[in-house]
Amino acid sequence: MPDSTPPQRPVLLGIVGAPHGIRGEVRVRSFTEEPTDLGAYGPLFDENGRRFTVLSARTQKNVVVVRLAEVTSREGAEELRGRELFVDRSVLPEEDEDEFYEADLVGLSARTVAGEEVGTVVAIHDFGAGTILEIAGEGRASVMIPFSEAAVPAVDLSAQVLTVEPVAAGLEGSDDEEGDEGDPRP
């Protein structure tokens, strides 16, 4: 992909937060494995196709402070607040067999191990305790399940389906629930 071409298959690498200082640096919530690798895959693009070149990136607490070549003032940095930054999928390294990019999972159909439709993966969250898949079904509220091998034993990207184990995912109770019988408490 040429450096000036916006992504055809965009993958979200970060979201710009508040400005940092007066020289145009911005705080970015990075989604790369190594947070400071935001610029390691070439230029970043926003949803409008505007191109950004990372000159430097350093961690500070839970964000990355980034200097972009195209932003030289606090006012310019302020204009980027909330902006999502993307690269094209083609510039990212191939994932291992048991690894997935979030962009690959959103939109997959979720079915139980018995083949029953659960819904479609609409979002991926990480609140600090691990990755959570949000699955929305037609005509019902979305559910959140852990993205673990026990809860999601199989992901088939070519078929656009992930398999959900309902008990491990918390969608159904186990047959031997504790406390139902013989609980001496009133």
Side-chain angles (χ1 to χ4, degrees):
M1 178 183 82
D3 280 355
S4 61
T5 304
Q8 298 301 306
R9 297 183 313 155
V11 174
L12 180 65
L13 289 194
I15 300 174
V16 178
H20 181 79
I22 61 170
R23 298 183 184 192
E25 288 183 313
V26 290
R27 293 178 177 99
V28 177
R29 182 172 161 219
S30 175
F31 301 120
T32 57
E33 186 172 6
E34 182 60 44
T36 56
D37 279 353
L38 276 170
Y41 307 107
L44 302 170
F45 294 85
D46 68 9
E47 60 276 2
N48 299 320
R50 185 172 171 200
R51 181 181 185 269
F52 299 96
T53 305
V54 175
L55 296 176
S56 66
R58 67 184 187 281
T59 56
Q60 186 176 51
K61 297 185 181 178
N62 60 345
V63 296
V64 179
V65 176
V66 177
R67 178 176 301 280
L68 300 169
E70 297 78 8
V71 182
T72 58
S73 68
R74 183 174 181 87
E75 294 76 22
E78 193 67 55
E79 291 175 11
L80 296 181
R81 187 187 296 255
R83 191 85 41 109
E84 294 179 330
L85 302 173
F86 302 90
V87 295
D88 193 81
R89 171 61 187 270
S90 65
V91 301
L92 297 174
E94 286 297 316
E95 63 278 357
D96 290 335
E97 186 177 319
D98 61 343
E99 293 180 329
F100 305 94
Y101 288 115
E102 290 182 7
D104 292 339
L105 299 175
V106 173
L108 292 185
S109 175
R111 297 199 174 118
T112 66
V113 291
E116 298 167 354
E117 184 73 27
V118 177
T120 302
V121 178
V122 294
I124 299 170
H125 306 282
D126 190 342
F127 303 112
T131 304
I132 304 290
L133 300 178
E134 183 176 352
I135 301 172
E138 195 170 318
R140 58 180 185 255
S142 63
V143 295
M144 296 203 186
I145 66 167
F147 187 49
S148 65
E149 193 171 339
V152 183
V155 176
D156 185 344
L157 294 178
S158 61
Q160 294 288 292
V161 174
L162 61 83
T163 304
V164 176
E165 202 312 304
V167 174
L171 300 176
E172 295 178 3
S174 65
D175 292 337
D176 58 335
E177 301 221 7
E178 293 181 28
D180 287 347
E181 294 181 36
D183 191 345
R185 293 177 286 172

